[in-house]
Amino acid sequence: MEIRATNTAQLDWTGDTLAVGLFEDAVELTGDLASLDQKLDGTIKELIEETEFKGSVSATAACRVGANSSIRKIILIGLGKKNALSLDSLRKSAAAIARTAKQQNSKTLAISLPVVNNDPALTAQGITEGILLALHLDNRFKSEPEDKGAKLEQVELLGLGDQEAAVRRAKAISDGVILARELVAAPANTVTAITLAETAEEIASQWGLSLEILEKEDCEKLGMGAFLGVAQASDLPPKFIHLTYKPEGTAKRKVAIVGKGLTFDSGGLNIKGSGSGIETMKMDMGGAAATLGAAKAIAQLKPNVEVHFISAATENMISGHAMHPGDILTASNGKTIEVNNTDAEGRLTLADALVFAEKLEVDAIVDLATLTGACIVALGNDIGGLWTADEALAAQLKAASEVAGEQFWQMPLEEKYFEGLKSPIADMKNTGPRAGGSITAALFLKQFVKETAWAHLDIAGPVWADKESGCNNAGATGFPVRTLVNWVLSDV
Ligand code: BES
Ligand code: MN
Ligand code: ZN
């Protein structure tokens, strides 16, 4: 499928299906749309009346137009209220158009949507992301897929001028989101730490990034007792992945992105019971998946920023050599941890990954993790939690997430709650009380970053969607690849 932006006007486009946006407060036909309606013998007016189309957000209506016209079908898409138009609402409108065009078996499609923020490039980027992400179809595990995918061959974004760079950016970002989705959706018997390391290897060799994989012995030498404690019950080898993108010339900044990479979380001996969602725990590597997704996009977009992509990948299993609840582990910064709950394993793996990241002397570290059920309780399934003591970094990440259309809410790094992690025998416990569970998790991680600007993103909710919505399909979402890429690309 080819997507390009052009200067063609609605009236002049010839092809299969034309999609036009209508605001909720202006469904009457004026200007170009009135001329188009006239050209189509009143079909648009009739469609609006027949379907009682009101222009509410993402409402769609479609019909066949007269045989002698320059187009075969028309799709109307509701844009909501004019003053509420945003990049993300356009991205979602584009997703709804793409889904409708797929149902209509359209081969060529033209999309006519308003320019947002006076920025045709950003508009083209958002629309392209919406199309590509909505049409992404994962049939890898179906022997005979019933959904054969869209028949679209060509999509033209009308009236935006030539936006080659913006479309290319959207494609790279969508590539990254789709990689993350496919890694998360794949079950734990197909995606293991070995697979994550191989995926990093593919990105490295395709795009010229450097890759360092630390094997178990290497991690032992570095004293990564927290990570290895989690890994010790698995029959599969752990892999500590460190993928590096370096721009040509001197980088204007240097950052690290650290993703939790638990390819399965059984809970360990504090095993997750039935009804706990244990069967969904293949998605516990959502942080690592988004880290690799961001790497794939950034490798293509080549920003002037050095980026380290890191994940301590393993699975949390049970066996005769599993951690006992109560075991004391020593992390690579020398801190000792009483494991009062083996199911709080993500923070143990991240502890060593954060220590490793800080040694790289980066300007900022962002970790992302499906860390706590408590964060889902606090913010629901659509919003990620953001913790940082660095308000400048918070502002950067919020701005990036706004452009991405991925929601975060800043949560308190309330030092007082560290009380809950005090251990009588070791430096800290890995689990605090139930109340404020996502905050104590963040405070635990904070113990492993000394002085680098650091932010923690808890993405336990939004990595997975039960239903299709916006440009997410049901299943893995690829959250928050778009935020990470925008953050790296932004001029801070
Ligand atoms: N991977 C889970 C968190 C999670 C829960 C992600 C639900 C996605 C959906 C994490 O390792 C975990 O088990 N956390 C425990 C922590 C508790 C033992 C302190 C939790 O949230 O219950
Ligand atoms: Mn767990
Ligand atoms: Zn986990």
Side-chain angles (χ1 to χ4, degrees):
M1 183 177 63
E2 185 198 328
I3 302 181
R4 65 197 164 98
T6 65
N7 256 330
T8 310
Q10 269 173 31
L11 267 176
D12 301 332
W13 188 75
T14 308
D16 196 342
T17 304
L18 172 65
V20 295
L22 284 169
F23 286 110
E24 196 170 337
D25 23 25
V27 276
E28 72 276 10
L29 303 175
T30 54
D32 280 2
L33 216 48
S35 319
L36 181 67
D37 189 44
Q38 213 169 23
K39 195 177 154 196
L40 301 176
D41 300 326
T43 309
I44 301 180
K45 190 157 184 285
E46 221 174 285
L47 180 59
I48 290 174
E49 281 165 8
E50 254 176 39
T51 60
E52 295 180 31
F53 187 82
K54 300 277 189 305
S56 51
V57 178
S58 293
T60 53
C63 72
R64 184 83 168 82
V65 299
N68 294 324
S69 35
S70 48
I71 60 172
R72 288 183 64 243
K73 285 179 176 171
I74 183 120
I75 296 175
L76 305 180
I77 173 81
L79 300 174
K81 296 245 173 14
K82 205 169 197 159
N83 59 13
L85 185 75
S86 67
L87 181 61
D88 196 47
S89 67
L90 268 195
R91 190 187 280 109
K92 288 180 170 137
S93 298
I97 291 170
R99 291 199 170 99
T100 310
K102 176 179 170 180
Q103 277 162 10
Q104 299 288 334
N105 287 321
S106 307
K107 286 208 172 105
T108 61
L109 169 70
I111 298 182
S112 178
L113 290 172
V115 172
V116 75
N117 297 347
N118 261 326
D119 191 339
L122 202 60
T123 304
Q125 183 186 334
I127 295 173
T128 305
E129 285 172 7
I131 299 166
L132 293 174
L133 295 175
L135 294 182
H136 165 233
L137 178 65
D138 186 359
N139 273 332
R140 288 171 302 163
F141 303 103
K142 299 258 190 201
S143 59
E144 277 171 50
E146 53 270 35
D147 186 342
K148 302 272 189 293
K151 297 202 170 62
L152 276 175
E153 287 161 9
Q154 232 181 53
V155 182
E156 210 171 311
L157 315 183
L158 303 183
L160 297 177
D162 180 12
Q163 299 297 348
E164 216 190 299
V167 172
R168 197 162 3 97
R169 201 178 318 131
K171 280 187 185 159
I173 292 175
S174 304
D175 251 15
V177 174
I178 288 168
L179 172 63
R181 283 183 183 178
E182 295 194 346
L183 286 170
V184 171
N189 62 345
T190 49
V191 168
T192 65
I194 301 170
T195 328
L196 291 179
E198 285 168 355
T199 306
E201 174 61 50
E202 277 160 30
I203 297 170
S205 62
Q206 185 172 0
W207 303 100
L209 275 59
S210 55
L211 177 67
E212 175 187 29
I213 302 283
L214 305 182
E215 304 295 340
K216 185 175 160 224
E217 300 69 38
D218 305 312
C219 297
E220 275 165 359
K221 280 182 201 136
L222 289 170
M224 295 183 172
F227 170 43
L228 294 175
V230 174
Q232 75 192 31
S234 174
D235 285 339
L236 302 169
K239 299 279 175 183
F240 189 101
I241 301 166
H242 174 206
L243 181 62
T244 308
Y245 163 76
K246 274 196 178 129
E248 280 170 31
T250 41
K252 67 170 188 249
R253 54 189 178 120
K254 214 173 137 175
V255 301
I257 296 174
V258 180
K260 171 174 170 182
L262 266 292
T263 59
F264 186 72
D265 178 12
S266 73
L269 282 173
N270 290 104
I271 196 160
K272 290 181 185 293
S274 62
S276 64
I278 189 172
E279 72 286 358
T280 67
M281 282 301 141
K282 65 177 182 181
M283 50 85 152
D284 213 17
M285 34 59 79
T291 299
L292 293 174
K296 188 170 183 182
I298 287 163
Q300 298 177 52
L301 295 171
K302 306 194 188 313
N304 194 15
V305 180
E306 181 173 317
V307 192
H308 296 265
F309 304 93
I310 295 164
S311 183
T314 186
E315 51 177 9
N316 186 20
M317 297 295 280
I318 49 174
S319 75
H321 38 266
M323 281 192 291
H324 317 89
D327 279 1
I328 296 173
L329 304 175
T330 305
S332 44
N333 65 346
K335 294 208 177 168
T336 58
I337 306 158
E338 179 188 5
V339 181
N340 59 330
N341 192 321
T342 60
D343 198 11
E345 83 300 334
R347 60 195 77 178
L348 295 170
T349 64
L350 286 165
D352 283 325
L354 288 169
V355 171
F356 182 93
E358 187 158 42
K359 285 187 202 149
L360 299 169
E361 298 183 336
V362 291
D363 301 311
I365 303 173
V366 173
D367 81 68
L368 50 150
T370 50
L371 202 63
T372 65
C375 193
I376 309 180
V377 173
L379 298 174
N381 280 305
D382 297 343
I383 306 174
L386 158 64
W387 284 261
T388 182
D390 188 307
E391 288 308 318
L393 182 55
Q396 291 165 21
L397 289 166
K398 285 177 194 170
S401 83
E402 170 84 33
V403 175
E406 294 172 324
Q407 279 181 280
F408 281 99
W409 190 256
Q410 191 172 353
M411 301 279 280
L413 257 182
E414 186 60 49
E415 281 302 334
K416 186 166 172 274
Y417 290 180
F418 191 74
E419 287 285 327
L421 289 172
K422 291 226 162 112
S423 163
I425 182 160
D427 295 344
M428 68 195 96
K429 299 190 289 190
N430 73 331
T431 309
R434 223 170 108 79
S438 67
I439 300 175
T440 43
L443 288 170
F444 178 90
L445 297 180
K446 189 167 177 278
Q447 306 309 306
F448 300 90
V449 186
K450 275 202 275 217
E451 50 191 20
T452 309
W454 159 75
H456 160 58
L457 306 176
D458 194 330
I459 57 170
V463 289
W464 194 264
D466 288 334
K467 298 197 295 279
E468 164 190 305
S469 158
C471 51
N472 285 339
N473 301 319
T477 59
F479 189 96
V481 170
R482 301 198 302 263
T483 298
L484 295 172
V485 178
N486 287 338
W487 175 60
V488 170
L489 258 50
S490 65
D491 286 309
V492 289

